[in-house]
Amino acid sequence: MTTTPASSVADYIDTHREAFLEDLRTLVHAETPSTDKPLLDAGLDVVRAVVVGLLGEPSAEARHDGGSYGDVLDLRWEGRDAEGTMVPAADAGDAVLVVCHYDTVWPAGTIETWPLSVDGDWLTGPGVLDMKFGIVQTAWAVKALRELGIGHPPVRMLLTGDEEIGSVAGRPHIEAAARESALTLVTEPSAAGNPKDRRKGMVFADLRVTGRQAHAGLEPEKGASAVHALAALISEVVALESAEHGTTVTVGTFHGGTGRNVVAGAAEALVDVRVTMPEEQERVVAELQALRLPEPYAADERLTLEVDVDANRPPMNPGPETAPLLERVVEIGRGLGRELQPTAVGGASDANFVSALGLPVLDGLGAVGEGPHAVHEHILLSGIAPQTALLAGILADAVK
């Protein structure tokens, strides 16, 4: 990919920015909370209409039932040569897979008080950064390549609806599709325009203690406080941190009991652990599973501890299959007049799954912005064309 074609894509997107923004508005206003199945189903229909409206009917398509989670939509298009002629894939492994999630953390009704709106260079709205932009960006990148006569390989879009809550339904489809593809791209938000080359792995732990209720004033000795027992355990959980290895532990919520004057009969804490290395994930999982209530609570038969551990995502670190691709991305960026610096971040994405399989994956190719999951979530209008051109350059560079 040379400077001229890349610049042409950026110019094309600038010229069509209003149409790009209208597509983005359509997706942002189609609310898709991760836990609202009816809205997810309706929202995925909207996503499909926008993407197919830009790229035409796919050559192959499958919609996988997500059960109580969002469905997974798998769309495929043939490659194109420089003359715009469709080039059928020699085999499925020629395709470049682009993974996007359409679910967001924002509850139904958010759009009524926070519609997509412009404030200077900011375009703000629920889910615009994480990651409705990445869906629109992908379709417009392919559209631009076609209309500019720049060849691209077969493209496969996988749209998942439960990334924000662990990718329970999405993960097997992501892993299967990645195994069948030459390269996986993930258009999650960028790191200030830079791709993300390292992500921490995640471990979730739900700690629940059941005790016995009693009146706090009349007969406290007849109770066994679940809150006291669980609170005594928290220091052991936090001690699993390792600054040396980049392992962090956060007790995100702690709640229990029914009233000030009641010995608590139940308590729960939800724990988030982030790790940089597989061996650290294994250590943390083993130690969480081995947790026991400390004395004197362990000796009280009225108190029971339940620990549910989910090693949700493995850490993502660039291996020999991905490192050369990152170097190519930096070169493509230079063709756009940019000096990109692949960046490590603490958050996880669906790219973690692909990396753990030892397959090539590039992540953080989406919007430039800030505030994912926060009320100041926004993208920069000035980043739309450069990021879409970068993605288009990567696609064009993948032509065999």
Side-chain angles (χ1 to χ4, degrees):
M1 185 74 176
T2 62
T3 302
T4 301
S7 299
S8 297
V9 171
D11 291 342
Y12 176 92
I13 297 300
D14 273 333
T15 301
H16 294 83
R17 192 167 81 169
E18 290 307 311
F20 185 111
L21 291 178
E22 188 56 38
D23 288 334
L24 186 53
R25 181 181 303 278
T26 297
L27 293 200
V28 171
H29 282 241
E31 293 185 297
T32 48
S34 299
T35 56
D36 192 319
K37 179 65 169 176
L39 282 180
L40 287 166
D41 287 346
L44 186 53
D45 290 340
V46 174
V47 170
R48 184 193 184 281
V50 167
V51 172
V52 172
L54 291 168
L55 300 181
E57 289 292 330
S59 57
E61 176 176 1
R63 181 162 173 161
H64 305 284
D65 185 0
S68 60
Y69 301 98
D71 291 352
V72 177
L73 184 61
D74 189 346
L75 305 172
R76 310 186 196 198
W77 290 270
E78 303 290 0
R80 302 288 180 100
D81 62 20
E83 285 70 45
T85 303
M86 283 197 299
V87 179
D91 57 65
D94 289 340
V96 172
L97 172 67
V98 186
V99 176
C100 310
H101 70 85
Y102 62 91
D103 64 312
T104 78
V105 300
W106 300 102
T110 302
I111 202 68
E112 295 174 11
T113 57
W114 186 18
L116 192 70
S117 57
V118 175
D119 182 5
D121 194 32
W122 281 27
L123 182 68
T124 180
V128 65
L129 175 67
D130 190 10
M131 60 169 294
K132 297 291 179 71
F133 174 87
I135 300 171
V136 178
Q137 171 200 20
T138 299
W140 273 93
V142 177
K143 178 180 175 67
L145 290 172
R146 289 180 179 179
E147 297 201 0
L148 292 170
I150 303 170
H152 67 80
V155 174
R156 181 176 185 179
M157 281 189 75
L158 198 70
L159 297 145
T160 66
D162 64 344
E163 190 273 345
E164 298 292 2
I165 54 174
S167 297
V168 175
R171 179 175 184 174
H173 298 288
I174 293 165
E175 292 178 336
R179 288 188 177 101
E180 296 171 359
S181 302
L183 167 65
T184 299
L185 309 179
V186 181
T187 53
E188 285 274 7
S190 69
N194 296 298
K196 298 174 179 178
D197 65 340
R198 297 176 186 271
R199 286 185 179 271
K200 287 190 175 183
M202 300 169 61
V203 178
F204 298 149
D206 298 351
L207 312 181
R208 301 182 185 88
V209 175
T210 301
R212 179 179 292 177
Q213 289 182 320
H215 192 291
L218 295 176
E219 46 186 14
E221 71 283 354
K222 292 185 178 180
S225 175
V227 165
H228 293 182
L230 185 54
L233 183 63
I234 292 302
S235 61
E236 294 185 27
V237 175
V238 174
L240 297 177
E241 282 196 345
S242 173
E244 176 186 359
H245 298 103
T247 301
T248 62
V249 178
T250 300
V251 180
T253 67
F254 187 117
H255 56 85
T258 56
R260 183 194 301 270
N261 60 348
V262 182
V263 177
E268 179 183 65
L270 304 183
V271 181
D272 177 293
V273 183
R274 306 288 170 126
V275 298
T276 58
M277 298 179 293
E279 53 268 32
E280 270 295 278
Q281 189 170 47
E282 294 172 3
R283 176 187 71 82
V284 168
V285 167
E287 295 198 33
L288 284 169
Q289 291 174 334
L291 284 174
R292 300 292 182 268
L293 289 176
E295 296 295 347
Y297 305 102
D300 192 333
E301 294 181 353
R302 298 170 300 175
L303 291 165
T304 58
L305 170 66
E306 178 185 354
V307 181
D308 291 330
V309 181
D310 174 19
N312 184 261
R313 282 180 171 85
M316 181 181 89
N317 296 300
E321 68 286 337
T322 294
L325 296 172
L326 287 167
E327 294 176 2
R328 285 294 302 138
V329 172
V330 171
E331 292 177 18
I332 292 167
R334 289 196 183 107
L336 286 162
R338 303 170 61 183
E339 286 297 328
L340 299 177
Q341 296 290 333
T343 303
V345 296
S349 83
D350 287 332
N352 291 56
F353 299 133
V354 181
S355 177
L357 295 175
L359 298 172
V361 59
L362 297 171
D363 191 15
L365 302 175
V368 181
E370 294 180 346
H373 304 186
V375 293
H376 63 285
E377 178 175 3
H378 67 276
I379 69 169
L380 299 183
L381 293 170
S382 57
I384 292 176
Q387 287 302 100
T388 306
L390 178 64
L391 179 63
I394 295 169
L395 287 169
D397 191 65
V399 174
K400 288 189 174 181

